[in-house]
């Protein structure tokens, strides 16, 4: 359909030709974007995933360097490992409210990404999810999320005890959560603009590759 390869039933998008600039239509029964389905479709600038899709596979949009806008449906519950890695033109991401799991390296090397909104339902965020996102300025977490919170644009565990990730585009830390006891691993990775950090007295542990 529209030059894109699907399973016979139409429930899985297998692969999109690398030269495509836009996908205009999808099967009504589509529920899954397969692993590497849009990988290196470097001419795509915008994608709207249709309602009914529940999962986006590994590296599904890896290397889509011109992709500036991605619209995700409310039916989505899972975004797998490296799904949007290397989408260097992507500027913002609104994670749908029904998403529960976001895989490792999911937005790695999204260097134009400035803001990420995490809804209440997300309870699992993978390792290195925002690695090398050097333009990232803030995380925004729904206040009803039971596992994560944001403060001063940084991503923390709900209690504020662990700083999970500081936005790599920022040039300074203005405040830490008062409950902070742990700087998580890779928490300040790729924060090349920061020249000085004063770790609060209550911090007991600094994870590997934290800086």
């Amino acid at each position: 359909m529209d030059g894109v390869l699907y399973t016979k039933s139409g429930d899985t998008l297998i692969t999109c030709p690398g030269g495509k600039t836009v996908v205009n239509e999808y099967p009504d029964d589509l529920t899954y974007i397969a692993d590497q389905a849009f990988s290196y479709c470097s001419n795509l600038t915008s994608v709207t995933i249709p309602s009914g899709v529940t999962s986006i596979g590994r590296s599904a949009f890896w290397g889509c360097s011109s992709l500036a806008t991605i619209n995700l449906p409310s039916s989505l519950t899972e975004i797998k490992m490296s799904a949007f890695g290397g989408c260097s033109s992507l500027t913002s991401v609104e994670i749908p409210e029904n998403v529960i799991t976001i895989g490792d390296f999911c937005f790695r090397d999204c260097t134009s990404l400035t803001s990420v909104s995490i809804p209440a339902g997300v309870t699992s965020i993978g390792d290195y999810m925002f690695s090398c996102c050097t333009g990232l300025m803030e995380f925004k977490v729904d206040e009803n999320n039971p596992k994560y919170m944001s403060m001063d644009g940084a991503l923390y565990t709900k209690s504020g005890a662990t700083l999970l990730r500081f936005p790599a585009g920022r040039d300074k830390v203005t405040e830490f959560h008062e409950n902070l006891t742990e700087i998580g691993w890779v928490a300040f990775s790729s924060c090349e603009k920061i020249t000085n950090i004063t770790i609060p007295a209550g911090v007991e542990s600094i994870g590997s590759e934290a800086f």
Side-chain angles (χ1 to χ4, degrees):
M1 177 184 286
D2 193 29
V4 177
L5 182 64
Y6 296 88
T7 54
K8 183 67 173 180
S9 63
D11 64 352
T12 300
L13 192 159
I14 299 172
T15 190
C16 176
K20 291 279 286 187
T21 58
V22 64
V23 179
N24 292 309
E25 58 179 333
Y26 298 90
D28 293 337
D29 295 328
L30 185 64
T31 59
Y32 180 51
I33 307 296
D35 296 354
Q36 301 180 318
F38 289 88
S39 183
Y40 294 107
C41 287
S42 57
N43 294 321
L44 284 177
T45 59
S46 178
V47 171
T48 297
I49 305 298
S51 178
V53 171
T54 58
S55 179
I56 296 176
R58 288 187 172 196
S59 304
F61 291 89
W62 180 271
C64 291
S65 56
S66 298
L67 187 63
T69 305
I70 180 77
N71 297 306
L72 303 174
S74 59
S75 56
L76 193 66
T77 60
E78 177 186 37
I79 305 174
K80 293 186 178 181
M81 179 178 178
S82 303
F84 297 99
C87 292
S88 55
S89 296
L90 195 64
T91 57
S92 66
V93 176
E94 188 83 27
I95 307 296
E97 61 182 13
N98 290 319
V99 171
I100 299 169
T101 302
I102 304 174
D104 299 344
F105 305 101
C106 191
F107 295 98
R108 180 174 179 169
D109 292 312
C110 290
T111 52
S112 297
L113 193 64
T114 60
S115 177
V116 175
S117 297
I118 299 172
V122 173
T123 56
S124 178
I125 292 177
D127 296 331
Y128 292 102
M129 177 178 165
F130 299 100
S131 179
C132 302
C133 291
T134 52
L136 190 60
M137 299 300 289
E138 66 174 341
F139 293 97
K140 295 183 287 187
V141 181
D142 190 295
E143 62 182 11
N144 294 315
N145 188 295
K147 192 166 182 179
Y148 304 105
M149 67 161 293
S150 57
M151 177 180 174
D152 190 33
L155 181 64
Y156 288 84
T157 53
K158 186 66 174 182
S159 66
T162 301
L163 195 162
L164 298 171
R165 191 76 190 180
F166 192 81
R170 299 273 293 277
D171 60 2
K172 62 182 178 180
V173 183
T174 56
E175 61 179 332
F176 289 99
H177 197 284
E178 62 182 4
N179 295 335
L180 184 65
T181 60
E182 178 184 12
I183 306 293
W185 79 308
V186 304
F188 287 92
S189 175
S190 302
C191 291
E192 300 174 351
K193 298 177 183 178
I194 295 178
T195 59
N196 180 60
I197 296 178
T198 300
I199 304 298
V203 171
E204 302 170 352
S205 173
I206 296 177
S208 63
E209 302 178 54
F211 299 94

